[in-house]
């Protein structure tokens, strides 16, 4: 810009449009008189010197355009950005980020969307600007920025760059806030925070749970046990963790050690990439392709310095860090996508013309209405969010994390219900704006080149991302009508109105029966005879009522040969791999040779084994249910589903015949013995058929065993039914086995069932309790287990007839049947 000084009074004449003056350089003071051709405005430089600029037209005055490289940004002008709430430092940071988005992040966003590639390249570039340490105090090497800046950065990243990267970054900031909340006396955490930008270390959160979905505050599938003064054992199943298997470090939430069934007693832990198992190869979604969201498993022994904050601090960490930062910054993402949609829409409608009527698309009043309403609604959402961010800055001295050295200091919690509204409004608005922009741009909007359809897909994630808008809407409505104290995250208060209403529907006899049952349960709970001390203390094998049975005897076969046990529950046995066979794209069968060809496993049918490998000097262990029979002499067969990130998966995938793996067992599981049951029902889904397959093989190959088997097996499609040919052969020649297949997607001539295993399916195919000796064994994911348990309870099946494979089976039963119900033992005769 050429500026000529006319006098000491610094009256300046600008002969070019105002768009060449950076908005940060001038501040309007007052408007002066104007002629028909010019507008005069008095301005002040940042050094407070006054000057006057003459504009050739009012359009020049208000066209606060932004630079986009050497040219002018083709989207919305700066007139609709609330720059007055940003500091000069924050404005400069935004300019640098916009330029980075233009050069690297925006082009890479298109690539990530097409290929499902994690945006590591974009995140590394952000580290060069110090953005991974955005909210880290300056004394730890960070930028020390506040809530308003955090909102601005996430919005800018989603708008000018890449929504997937913005969401990954949102989770990173949430994880940073969790560490900063309790970093004060933790050298490990301080060291990590110092290295975020230098070593380009991206973090994320894993708080969700496969059994409770978007209710991430209820980690049912987690547990922690104190092993010694400085060591804990931890197990955490997470669902839909952003950056799963790609982030360098993870903040996870679990129940606390000795939580006693109180799911509000939570703790947080720090783990690293090489300590997680994740399967992001399964990530396929409408939008947010670069997120790499997927299930996450953390298990093993860790030092107590991995605990972030004191035991039981998780609830406060939720309310003070995870919730505020996620709700705030994800709202900024959705607002950014709304603005991005309007940017792209403006570029199209101002350039597209209809030759027949001599009008551009933007000249139509309907299109102007679309943009006007979208701008109003979006800036209403932005204004609410920035207002709450300013409030958070006010109550925390602009993100001063040293204040949290007082463990009771938690001012952000008071603004949670405001942040619920921010997220609801932003997620609702981005759905509306993206749809309206689609209509504004017509058929061109459907083309990937315009970029609008990608933004529309990404924006749809806002509504369903937990807490979903349905949950938030209900939360806000409940608190409006009944007060903030009525929110019951952990279902700890009884709704007596509903209870009394339901009881009124029961006749006199039913109420007497219910009263009798409740009194019996209360008496049993009081006596303590519904619990078993070993079940309460066994971390890995929750149904065990005693140490696993070890079949240590030598077996003399029909050929007169003595078969000795190969395994030992107290010692490791090295076994050589014989063969590997693919069962599907991501599953394979591994057959190992026992030390002698005449050996048997030393296990009962249904028990599982522990496998140990050493990877880069670090011990890795994993439990497996063999699919081979214990008396398949000389061999043991395992099935493994490969995970994208997981030391054991990668090790097994690289195994070659002759390589050795160490085994130990039996370690737990269901203990089946012939003729102790009249009927065994197996409910399985996907790869969960493996323990059931061993039981079926054992019974089918023992003509003296009279036990009947009912298998209900769910798979997504026909191709994913494992061992189907073998199962059908058994069922075809032996009436002891009855199989019901059910599919998520059924072909045209399918004769089996359709859909998940539900109440009607169980009612139709499973024998009701009628005095026979029976057991129901389940093996599948938490969603299947919880669903089947609700069905079984509604159909009158008792809690102690159900055995569930996995470390959380007893907690799942208690969640459905009640905290103090009688549990099944691990023996098929149920004798404790």
């Amino acid at each position: 810009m050429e500026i000529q000084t006319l006098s000491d009074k610094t009256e300046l004449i600008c002969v070019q449009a105002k768009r060449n003056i950076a908005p940060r350089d001038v501040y309007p003071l007052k408007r002066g008189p104007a002629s028909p051709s010019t507008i005069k405005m008095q301005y002040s430089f940042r050094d407070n010197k006054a000057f006057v600029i003459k504009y050739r037209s009012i359009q020049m005055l208000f066209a606060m355009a932004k630079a986009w490289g050497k040219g002018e940004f083709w989207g919305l002008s700066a007139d609709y950005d609330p720059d007055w709430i940003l500091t000069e430092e924050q404005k400069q940071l935004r300019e640098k980020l916009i330029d980075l988005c233009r050069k690297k992040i925006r082009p890479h966003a298109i690539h990530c969307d097409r290929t499902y590639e994690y945006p590591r390249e974009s995140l590394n570039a952000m580290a060069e600007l110090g953005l991974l340490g955005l909210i880290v105090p300056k004394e730890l090497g960070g930028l020390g920025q506040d809530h308003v800046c955090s909102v601005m950065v996430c919005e800018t990243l989603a708008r000018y760059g890449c929504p997937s990267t913005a969401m990954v970054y949102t989770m990173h900031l949430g994880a940073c806030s969790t560490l900063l909340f309790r970093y004060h006396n933790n050298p490990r955490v301080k060291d990590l925070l110092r290295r975020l930008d230098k070593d380009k270390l991206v973090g994320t959160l894993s708080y969700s749970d496969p059994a409770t979905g978007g209710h991430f505050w209820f980690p049912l599938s987690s547990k922690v046990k104190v092993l010694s003064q400085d060591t804990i054992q931890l197990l955490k199943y997470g669902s839909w963790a952003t950056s799963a298997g790609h982030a360098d470090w993870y903040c996870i939430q679990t129940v606390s050690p000795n939580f006693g069934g109180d799911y509000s007693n939570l703790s947080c832990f720090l783990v690293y990439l090489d300590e997680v198992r994740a399967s992001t190869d399964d990530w396929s979604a409408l939008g947010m392709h670069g997120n790499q969201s997927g299930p996450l498993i953390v298990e093993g022994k860790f030092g107590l310095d991995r605990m972030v904050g004191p035991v039981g601090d998780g609830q406060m960490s939720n309310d003070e860090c995870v919730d505020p930062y996620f709700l705030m910054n994800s709202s900024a993402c959705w607002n950014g996508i709304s603005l991005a949609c309007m940017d792209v829409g403006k570029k199209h409608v101002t350039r597209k013309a209809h030759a027949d009527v001599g009008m551009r698309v933007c000249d139509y009043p309907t299109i102007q209405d679309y943009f006007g309403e979208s701008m109003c609604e979006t800036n209403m959402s932005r204004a609410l969010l920035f207002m709450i961010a300013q409030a958070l800055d006010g109550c925390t001295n602009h993100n001063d994390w040293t204040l949290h050295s007082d463990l009771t200091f938690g001012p952000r919690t008071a603004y949670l219900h405001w942040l619920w509204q921010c997220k609801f409004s932003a997620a609702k608005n981005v759905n509306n704006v993206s749809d309206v922009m689609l209509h504004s741009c017509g058929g061109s909007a459907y083309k990937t080149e315009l970029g609008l359809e990608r933004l529309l897909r990404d924006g749809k994630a806002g509504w369903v991302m937990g807490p979903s808008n349905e949950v938030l809407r209900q939360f806000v409505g409940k608190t409006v009508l009944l007060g903030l104290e009525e929110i019951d995250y952990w279902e700890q208060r009884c709704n007596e109105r509903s209870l009394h209403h339901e009881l009124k529907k029961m006749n006199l006899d039913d109420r007497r029966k219910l009263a009798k049952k409740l009194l019996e349960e209360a008496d049993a709970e009081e006596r303590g005879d519904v619990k078993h001390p070993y079940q309460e203390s066994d971390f890995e094998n929750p149904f065990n009522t005693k140490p696993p049975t070890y079949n240590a005897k030598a077996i003399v076969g029909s050929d007169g040969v003595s078969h000795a046990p190969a395994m030992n529950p107290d010692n490791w046995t090295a076994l050589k791999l014989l063969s590997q066979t693919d069962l599907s794209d991501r599953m394979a069968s591994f057959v190992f040779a026992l030390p002698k060809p005449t050996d048997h496993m030393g296990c009962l049918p249904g028990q599982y084994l522990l496998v140990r490998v050493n990877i880069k000097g670090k011990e890795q262990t994993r439990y497996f249910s063999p699919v081979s029979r214990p008396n398949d002499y000389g061999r043991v067969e395992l099935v493994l589903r490969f995970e994208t990130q997981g030391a054991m998966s990668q090790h097994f995938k690289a195994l070659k015949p002759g390589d050795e793996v160490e085994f130990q067992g039996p370690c737990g599981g269901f203990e089946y013995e012939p003729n102790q049951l009249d009927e065994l029902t197996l409910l399985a889904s996907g790869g969960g058929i493996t323990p059931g397959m061993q039981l079926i093989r054992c019974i089918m190959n023992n003509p003296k065993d009279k036990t009947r088997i009912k298998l209900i097996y769910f798979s997504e499609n026909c191709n994913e039914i494992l061992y189907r040919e073998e199962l059908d052969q058994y069922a075809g020649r032996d009436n002891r086995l009855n199989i019901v297949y059910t599919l998520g997607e059924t072909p045209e001539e399918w004769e089996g069932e359709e859909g998940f295993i539900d109440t009607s399916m169980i009612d139709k195919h499973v024998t009701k309790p009628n005095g026979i000796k029976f057991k129901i064994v389940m093996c599948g994911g938490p969603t299947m287990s919880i669903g089947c348990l609700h069905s079984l309870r509604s159909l009158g099946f008792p809690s102690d007839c159900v055995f569930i494979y996995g470390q959380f089976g007893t907690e799942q039963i208690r969640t459905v049947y009640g905290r103090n119900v009688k549990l099944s033992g691990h023996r098929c005769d149920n004798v404790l």
Side-chain angles (χ1 to χ4, degrees):
M1 180 183 69
E2 295 181 3
I3 298 178
Q4 180 181 4
T5 302
L6 301 181
S7 69
D8 291 337
K9 293 183 180 180
T10 64
E11 181 180 10
L12 307 176
I13 303 295
C14 175
V15 295
Q16 296 189 15
K18 183 175 182 296
R19 62 175 174 266
N20 292 322
I21 303 175
R24 72 175 186 276
D25 289 334
V26 294
Y27 300 97
L29 297 180
K30 63 181 180 179
R31 185 169 177 173
S35 68
S37 61
T38 65
I39 297 207
K40 186 183 289 184
M41 182 78 80
Q42 188 175 5
Y43 280 82
S44 172
F45 274 119
R46 282 180 290 174
D47 62 5
N48 293 322
K49 283 188 177 181
F51 67 97
V52 174
I53 298 178
K54 292 181 180 179
Y55 294 93
R56 292 179 178 173
S57 68
I58 194 168
Q59 286 82 9
M60 287 185 179
L61 174 63
F62 292 107
M64 300 276 287
K66 291 168 284 192
W68 189 251
K70 295 181 180 179
E72 181 180 316
F73 182 58
W74 33 261
L76 304 175
S77 72
D79 297 293
Y80 291 98
D81 288 331
D83 283 0
W84 60 86
I85 66 173
L86 301 179
T87 66
E88 291 305 309
E89 183 181 9
Q90 290 166 353
K91 291 175 185 177
Q92 292 174 20
L93 182 62
R94 182 183 61 181
E95 286 186 12
K96 292 178 182 178
L97 178 56
I98 290 175
D99 197 50
L100 179 63
C101 288
R102 179 184 65 85
K103 292 177 179 176
K104 291 185 178 180
I105 299 177
R106 192 179 187 92
H108 195 53
I110 300 170
H111 171 75
C112 290
D113 183 68
R114 291 175 178 171
T115 63
Y116 279 88
E117 182 178 311
Y118 185 69
R120 173 61 74 170
E121 181 180 313
S122 297
L123 295 163
N124 288 346
M126 291 176 66
E128 299 293 337
L129 295 181
L131 290 174
L132 295 185
L134 180 73
I135 62 173
V136 175
K138 290 182 179 179
E139 58 267 27
L140 292 179
L143 295 182
Q145 284 294 341
D146 58 18
H147 299 84
V148 166
C149 188
S150 178
V151 169
M152 178 274 291
V153 169
C154 290
E155 179 188 279
T156 301
L157 189 55
R159 178 181 182 181
Y160 299 98
C162 169
S164 279
T165 305
M167 186 50 59
V168 168
Y169 185 66
T170 289
M171 295 301 184
H172 169 80
L173 290 182
C176 287
S177 74
T178 306
L179 295 187
L180 288 165
F181 187 50
R182 298 294 186 237
Y183 79 99
H184 313 85
N185 300 310
N186 193 319
R188 178 186 288 274
V189 169
K190 286 184 179 180
D191 175 69
L192 175 59
L193 291 170
R194 287 190 180 99
R195 296 188 294 113
L196 292 180
D197 289 303
K198 177 185 175 182
D199 294 340
K200 298 179 173 59
L201 301 176
V202 177
T204 195
L205 298 164
S206 178
Y207 279 49
S208 59
D209 188 286
T212 56
H215 300 171
F216 61 84
W217 53 85
F218 204 118
L220 179 66
S221 307
S222 70
K223 54 185 173 180
V224 181
K225 181 179 181 180
V226 176
L227 299 179
S228 66
Q229 187 175 358
D230 57 0
T231 307
I232 52 98
Q233 186 173 5
L234 183 151
L235 178 61
K236 161 74 177 179
Y237 277 55
S239 62
W240 302 114
T242 297
S243 306
H246 291 271
D248 302 290
W249 55 276
Y250 301 75
C251 277
I252 66 171
Q253 180 176 264
T254 70
V255 295
S256 296
N258 303 316
F259 77 114
D262 177 5
Y263 283 93
S264 67
N265 186 358
L266 306 169
S267 294
C268 300
F269 295 89
L270 169 65
V271 296
Y272 300 102
L273 177 58
D274 63 349
E275 297 167 334
V276 306
R277 292 163 48 196
S279 291
T280 48
D281 281 348
D282 296 334
W283 175 237
S284 178
L286 178 68
M288 293 285 178
H289 289 175
N291 271 18
Q292 291 301 309
S293 294
L296 191 79
I297 299 174
V298 183
E299 58 183 331
K301 298 175 183 178
F302 301 90
L304 267 180
D305 64 339
R306 297 298 190 90
M307 183 176 285
V308 183
V311 175
D313 193 50
Q315 181 178 346
M316 191 171 183
S317 178
N318 268 354
D319 293 346
E320 189 60 22
C321 298
V322 174
D323 278 4
Y325 263 88
F326 172 75
L327 292 167
M328 179 179 70
N329 290 328
S330 65
S331 298
C333 290
W334 314 131
N335 288 338
I337 295 174
S338 295
L339 293 165
C341 288
M342 285 187 279
D343 288 334
V344 171
K346 177 187 176 183
K347 179 172 68 172
H348 177 76
V349 301
T350 54
R351 298 178 181 181
K352 177 73 174 179
H354 293 157
D356 53 338
V357 293
M359 294 174 64
R360 297 169 301 171
V361 175
C362 65
D363 295 325
Y364 288 92
T366 299
I367 302 301
Q368 294 167 4
D369 287 347
Y370 280 161
F371 276 80
E373 183 174 358
S374 295
M375 191 77 260
C376 290
E377 296 292 338
T378 299
N379 268 343
M380 286 170 60
S381 177
R382 297 172 80 196
L384 175 63
L385 180 58
F386 276 115
M387 180 181 75
I388 305 307
Q390 286 180 317
L392 295 176
D393 284 337
C395 69
T396 62
N397 191 26
H398 292 271
N399 241 5
D400 183 355
W401 295 101
T402 63
L403 298 173
H404 292 291
S405 58
D406 174 2
L407 298 183
T408 65
F409 182 70
R412 297 179 187 86
T413 302
Y415 294 90
L416 267 182
H417 60 296
W418 287 99
L419 289 163
W420 294 342
Q421 297 171 69
C422 290
K423 191 269 182 180
F424 178 87
S425 299
K428 179 180 180 181
N429 181 65
V430 73
N431 271 269
N432 294 335
V433 170
S434 57
D435 281 343
V436 168
M437 291 300 106
L438 187 75
H439 301 158
S440 299
C441 296
S444 298
Y446 288 84
K447 298 178 180 179
T448 57
E449 307 92 79
L450 189 62
L452 187 58
E453 61 87 28
R454 172 171 57 84
L455 294 171
L456 181 144
R457 288 187 284 104
D458 287 346
K460 295 296 181 185
W463 189 280
V464 299
M465 195 169 287
S468 69
N469 269 28
E470 283 80 9
V471 170
L472 292 178
R473 180 169 54 196
Q474 195 266 336
F475 275 5
V476 173
K478 190 170 188 176
T479 57
V480 165
L481 296 173
L482 305 176
L484 292 173
E485 67 279 0
E486 284 300 309
I487 297 298
D488 185 15
Y489 294 110
W490 296 283
E491 299 293 319
Q492 294 171 316
R493 295 193 295 271
C494 176
N495 187 333
E496 293 196 9
R497 285 179 177 269
S498 297
L499 179 63
H500 294 319
H501 179 74
E502 294 301 316
L503 288 174
K504 285 193 304 183
K505 300 176 184 178
M506 301 177 72
N507 60 38
L508 194 59
D509 288 340
D510 288 339
R511 276 185 280 171
R512 283 198 178 101
K513 289 178 182 177
L514 177 61
K516 180 182 178 182
K517 181 179 179 182
L518 291 174
L519 285 171
E520 289 174 350
E521 290 177 355
D523 289 341
E525 182 180 342
E526 195 172 56
R527 293 191 304 268
D529 59 5
V530 296
K531 297 183 178 180
H532 191 283
Y534 200 83
Q535 286 182 329
E536 294 298 314
S537 62
D538 196 321
F539 188 87
E540 299 290 355
N541 313 311
F543 287 97
N544 280 15
T545 54
K546 65 176 184 178
T549 301
Y550 173 44
N551 187 7
K553 298 178 181 178
I555 301 172
V556 179
S558 57
D559 56 358
V561 176
S562 178
H563 304 274
M567 303 291 180
N568 189 291
D570 301 314
N571 300 308
W572 293 98
T573 302
L575 303 182
K576 290 184 179 180
L577 179 68
L578 290 176
S579 65
Q580 175 182 342
T581 305
D582 291 337
L583 299 179
S584 68
D585 291 342
R586 295 171 191 168
M587 295 187 75
S589 164
F590 295 83
V591 177
F592 291 87
L594 298 180
K596 297 178 181 178
T598 56
D599 286 347
H600 69 84
M601 272 195 277
C603 305
L604 296 178
Q607 291 182 311
Y608 45 81
L609 306 171
L610 184 61
V611 169
R612 180 176 73 174
V613 297
N614 191 292
I615 302 172
K616 297 180 180 179
K618 188 173 182 179
E619 180 183 296
Q620 304 282 347
T621 59
R622 182 98 167 260
Y623 290 95
F624 286 89
S625 289
V627 293
S628 55
R629 296 177 296 151
N631 59 349
D632 281 344
Y633 303 126
R635 63 191 293 274
V636 57
E637 180 185 357
L638 310 177
V639 172
L640 175 65
R641 179 181 175 86
F642 296 122
E643 296 159 330
T644 313
Q645 171 67 32
M648 191 69 75
S649 284
Q650 301 309 314
H651 185 84
F652 264 66
K653 192 179 288 188
L655 285 178
K656 295 180 175 58
D659 290 344
E660 289 189 342
V661 171
E662 292 184 301
F663 285 72
Q664 188 180 92
C667 302
F670 184 58
E671 295 183 1
Y672 177 82
E673 294 185 58
N675 293 313
Q676 289 195 344
L677 296 172
D678 296 315
E679 186 163 297
L680 174 63
T681 297
L682 303 173
L683 305 179
S685 67
I689 188 62
T690 51
M693 194 66 206
Q694 186 193 50
L695 293 169
I696 290 170
R697 283 173 167 174
C698 288
I699 296 172
M700 291 293 98
N701 284 278
N702 183 2
K704 295 181 180 179
D705 190 347
K706 305 302 181 186
T707 304
R708 301 184 302 275
I709 314 172
K710 182 71 64 67
L711 169 65
I712 304 180
Y713 183 11
F714 169 81
S715 293
E716 285 294 341
N717 53 61
C718 286
N719 296 331
E720 294 187 12
I721 300 177
L722 300 181
Y723 297 105
R724 185 178 182 184
E725 184 178 350
E726 182 180 354
L727 288 169
D728 288 345
Q729 288 178 354
Y730 287 140
R733 66 172 185 253
D734 197 322
N735 59 13
R736 289 178 297 167
L737 175 62
N738 181 272
I739 302 175
V740 177
Y741 296 115
T742 179
L743 301 180
E745 295 182 11
T746 58
E748 186 175 350
E749 297 181 357
W750 177 251
E751 295 181 355
E753 296 282 359
E754 182 176 2
F756 293 116
I757 303 172
D758 57 15
T759 305
S760 62
M761 210 178 293
I762 292 174
D763 187 37
K764 179 179 177 182
H765 297 291
V766 180
T767 306
K768 306 300 182 300
N770 58 5
I772 65 171
K773 294 182 293 183
F774 74 101
K775 183 78 81 171
I776 297 173
V777 174
M778 289 197 292
C779 191
T783 301
M784 173 213 154
S785 297
I786 294 292
C788 289
L789 284 170
H790 278 290
S791 297
L792 291 169
R793 186 184 182 189
S794 67
L795 293 170
F797 289 89
S799 59
D800 61 350
C801 76
V802 183
F803 180 96
I804 304 176
Y805 275 93
Q807 295 96 325
F808 302 106
T810 57
E811 290 306 320
Q812 291 165 355
I813 289 175
R814 286 168 171 157
T815 299
V816 174
Y817 278 88
R819 292 300 314 164
N820 299 292
V821 297
K822 189 175 182 180
L823 296 170
S824 165
H826 64 292
R827 292 169 55 90
C828 57
D829 61 6
N830 232 23
V831 175
L832 302 185

